[in-house]
Amino acid sequence: MLINPSSPHSDDGWLERHIVDPSLKSQQPIVLETKQLRVFYGDNEAIHEGDLKFPEHQISALIGPSGSGKSTYLRSLNRMNDGVARVTGEILYRGVDVNRPEIDVYEMRRRIGMVFQRPNPFSKSIYDNITFALKRRGITDKKVLDETVETSLRQAAIWDEVKDKLNKSALALSGGQQQRLCIARAIAVKPDILLLDEPASALDPVSTGKLEETLLKLKKDYTIIIVTHNMQQAARISDFTAFFNMGRALEFDETSQIFTSPKVQLTNNYVAGDFG
Ligand SMILES: Nc1ncnc2c1ncn2[C@@H]1O[C@H](COP(=O)(O)OP(=O)(O)O)[C@@H](O)[C@H]1O
Ligand SMILES: [Mg+2]
């Protein structure tokens, strides 16, 4: 496919695309929106333009072949690319452009939290993993900390498995438990949005199932954006799906549409398993 990365907008005319505004399809307000987002690693433009809107209390999945820019796009949303890539365009979080230099990145990341591909608990106790960020924010009241530990672990659906060993090392947990602990750690600071980059890629099917159940429960309280390489996973858990190809979101619609009647030929080829 002939896309000239040095002039990303000049060829937009013929690019087949179908991007819906989710607020027209769901009752939920938009909490996060990117406008003309472009991401550069040096001279290499990895995201040519990302114009997507994410609805509140819904799960949106980002799918597409390896190298299509899903992680780059996701990481830009809470500025994890700062210092790594140059990001232009707007990232509107509840109407505020968080891609401006004067934004308090630390506070913004409290509201837009992230869970990574490989579980990365701290080499500390389960309890300390959850309370780490709270203590850094000056919260020392034992009662508040205890309560947060329990609520976060319950929300992440791992409380029953760890409640008797909160002082044991987080590293002694299984991979699936570690990943749910990382979700608990992310929600302990009461975020608004959770970004997850292939959170189940290192997990076995049983742990993956538990993680998916957890995410479905969490959407009651959080807006979730998840990169997944696994199309069945996107189909099972997400409300909206964006299909990325070569640094562009080519199609964004309700998940049922994407998987049953995609409007863009390349999306159709991808979900049919023709490439990826
Ligand atoms: N840290 C980085 N430095 C330079 N190039 C990168 C970096 N991370 C990703 N890229 C490049 O950006 C493009 C998109 O990669 P990525 O966002 O990781 O895709 P995906 O998550 O869809 O597999 C690829 O060409 C990749 O090589
Ligand atoms: Mg990736």
Side-chain angles (χ1 to χ4, degrees), residues 35-40 86-90 99:
K35 284 188 176 169
Q36 295 183 6
L37 192 82
R38 295 168 71 185
V39 185
F40 304 82
R86 188 164 62 84
V87 180
T88 66
E90 289 174 274
N99 198 30

Side-chain angles (χ1 to χ4, degrees), residues 8-268:
H9 294 290
S10 60
D11 51 7
D12 280 3
W14 59 267
L15 254 182
E16 200 193 351
R17 259 183 309 178
H18 175 74
I19 307 288
V20 302
D21 179 343
S23 58
L24 302 176
K25 299 221 171 187
S26 105
Q27 305 305 316
Q28 304 296 336
I30 300 300
V31 284
L32 193 67
E33 168 176 7
T34 55
K35 284 188 176 169
Q36 295 183 6
L37 192 82
R38 295 168 71 185
V39 185
F40 304 82
Y41 293 107
D43 291 336
N44 175 29
E45 186 171 332
I47 295 292
H48 304 302
E49 138 276 270
D51 285 65
L52 296 176
K53 297 179 179 182
F54 299 99
E56 187 171 44
H57 293 174
Q58 301 275 278
I59 300 182
S60 298
L62 312 182
I63 64 167
S66 181
S68 58
K70 306 177 298 293
S71 297
T72 298
Y73 178 80
L74 187 84
R75 294 170 65 87
S76 298
L77 298 177
N78 72 345
R79 295 189 35 186
M80 286 289 173
N81 285 329
D82 278 15
V84 181
R86 188 164 62 84
V87 180
T88 66
E90 289 174 274
I91 302 165
L92 300 173
Y93 164 64
R94 298 194 179 275
V96 175
D97 182 7
V98 299
N99 198 30
R100 287 173 305 144
E102 64 271 27
I103 289 293
D104 177 348
V105 173
Y106 183 68
E107 172 58 21
M108 179 270 288
R109 287 194 191 137
R110 184 189 71 72
R111 299 179 193 215
I112 309 177
M114 188 151 217
V115 174
F116 297 89
Q117 196 163 351
R118 297 226 147 244
N120 59 347
F122 305 131
S123 169
K124 294 172 180 293
S125 70
I126 294 167
Y127 187 96
D128 289 347
N129 262 271
I130 306 293
T131 57
F132 183 77
L134 296 169
K135 285 183 179 160
R136 256 183 63 180
R137 302 175 70 82
I139 300 169
T140 51
D141 184 338
K142 174 111 175 30
K143 195 159 165 276
V144 173
L145 295 175
D146 286 355
E147 272 169 18
T148 307
V149 168
E150 179 166 347
T151 346
S152 311
L153 291 169
R154 277 192 192 281
Q155 280 195 317
I158 188 180
W159 172 250
D160 289 338
E161 292 158 64
V162 300
K163 63 175 190 278
D164 299 323
K165 47 180 175 185
L166 294 177
N167 293 318
K168 294 263 162 62
S169 170
L171 301 181
L173 298 171
S174 73
Q177 290 173 324
Q178 288 187 8
Q179 197 59 306
R180 279 177 286 135
L181 176 69
C182 290
I183 292 178
R185 184 176 67 186
I187 59 189
V189 292
K190 301 194 166 48
D192 190 4
I193 300 174
L194 270 184
L195 310 175
L196 303 108
D197 194 351
E198 303 203 35
S201 66
L203 307 184
D204 60 69
V206 173
S207 306
T208 298
K210 282 191 184 160
L211 184 91
E212 290 178 4
E213 272 173 43
T214 304
L215 294 177
L216 285 169
K217 283 188 195 137
L218 287 174
K219 85 174 187 180
K220 176 168 67 67
D221 298 304
Y222 307 98
T223 300
I224 296 174
I225 305 173
I226 178 173
V227 169
T228 176
H229 204 79
N230 179 332
M231 283 188 272
Q232 287 73 31
Q233 180 167 72
R236 279 193 298 266
I237 67 171
S238 70
D239 302 287
F240 286 86
T241 295
F243 170 65
F244 275 74
N245 191 57
M246 295 177 77
R248 282 189 169 82
L250 292 187
E251 185 156 5
F252 183 55
D253 207 332
E254 287 171 301
T255 298
S256 53
Q257 285 292 315
I258 296 281
F259 286 99
T260 57
S261 49
K263 301 254 188 322
V264 174
Q265 188 60 45
L266 275 174
T267 316
N268 187 53

